[in-house]
Amino acid sequence: MNKHWLLCLSALLLSACTSPVWKTTPVASEPAAIGISAMAHDELLSWLSYADKVLQSNDAERKSSIQSLRQQANNNELQLALWLSHPKAEPGQRQQAQQLLSRNMSSISPRLKQFFAVYQGYNQELLTLNELVEQRQAQVESLSSKLKELATIDEQINERKYQEPGQP
């Protein structure tokens, strides 16, 4: 009996796999829309693959790619923006990436706009955090300088105490 149920269940599962409910075949009346969507999907996958390559790169590869893209005449500004958005990029490079992304946002597809908007947001957040770090460093340096001044004043007071006559 168990074998019979197992065979029936297997047959049901196999028939469900070939059911039209599970298939995602395009409707014949909308081939142009599907082609555009597929192209946008492929383009997005291509950019995702390129972004992965950028993220997996080391410092030497990043510097070489940035230099190469800057020397090329065929404006690969979006590629350059990705390289300049690397997590280890300097704030100046991030600022350049922001400018490149802003300049090119109007000329890219809506699906890619979402992708590059993530990079813009990421860069902006890191630039903001970098400014905050710089402000904190300036505060620390200021406080350190004041502490040194106070230590110098304390030393001078202690020296005067011991130099005054009649003091033990």
Side-chain angles (χ1 to χ4, degrees), residues 1 5 20 25 34 54 60 73 78-79 81 84 86 98 109-110 120-121 124 147 150-151 153 157:
M1 185 73 176
W5 281 105
T25 57
I34 291 169
V54 169
L78 291 173
Q79 289 178 347
L84 294 172
H86 191 277
Q98 290 295 81
S109 70
Q120 270 189 318
Q124 190 57 52
L147 281 173
L150 288 173
I153 292 170
I157 290 172

Side-chain angles (χ1 to χ4, degrees), residues 7 80 92 105 111 135:
L7 285 173
L80 181 58
M105 255 331 177
R111 187 173 260 193
Q135 290 172 355

